[in-house]
């Protein structure tokens, strides 16, 4: 349900924390720039009265780091599938067991991570979906016969 009173992002009163928060939310989490990481670390560790803002920034920073790492795993898995199938798909066949388990594990971890966000972190869940959803769909496109649960994977 939509509400005109609902705030989509947490209230942050400290300008340095707010800048770091907005910069992190605007950046691509595929590969975080070093300057952005340093800015976030400084804002998280500085002395401030805005503890709620610092906590929100810390949550976004942890999510960004987790997405960066998991993104690398998904790209590696996609490349393994591409190597197996060949450049033009000439070697298409059943997945070896280890790759099938890896794809299932990636899906399971992705969904578990998305479900870990609380209702007040909806903005963060959407950011994670936009960062990782495309890569998950790339895996989905390379595998036939996967379960209908993959229909829940999306990107925004």
């Amino acid at each position: 349900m939509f509400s005109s009173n609902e705030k989509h992002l947490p209230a942050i009163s400290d300008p340095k924390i707010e800048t770091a928060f907005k910069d992190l939310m605007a950046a691509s989490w595929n590969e975080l720039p070093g300057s952005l990481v340093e800015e976030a670390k400084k804002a998280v560790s500085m002395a401030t009265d805005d503890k709620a803002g610092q906590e929100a920034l810390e949550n976004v920073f942890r999510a960004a780091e987790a997405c960066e790492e998991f993104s690398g795993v998904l790209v590696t898995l996609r490349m393994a599938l591409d190597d197996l199938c060949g450049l033009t798909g000439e070697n298409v066949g059943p997945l070896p067991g280890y790759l099938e388990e890896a794809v299932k594990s990636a899906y399971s971890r992705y969904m578990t991570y998305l479900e870990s966000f609380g209702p007040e972190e909806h903005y963060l869940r959407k950011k994670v979906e936009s960062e990782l959803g495309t890569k998950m769909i790339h895996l989905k496109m390379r595998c036939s016969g996967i379960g209908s649960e993959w229909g829940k994977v999306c990107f925004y």
Side-chain angles (χ1 to χ4, degrees), residues 144-156:
S144 66
I146 59 176
S148 61
E149 68 274 4
W150 277 76
K152 296 177 188 174
V153 174
C154 61
F155 63 97
Y156 294 94

Side-chain angles (χ1 to χ4, degrees), residues 132-142 150 153-155:
L132 297 177
T134 303
K135 290 171 186 62
M136 292 295 292
I137 288 173
H138 288 163
L139 288 181
K140 176 182 170 182
M141 289 172 24
R142 285 163 174 78
W150 277 76
V153 174
C154 61
F155 63 97

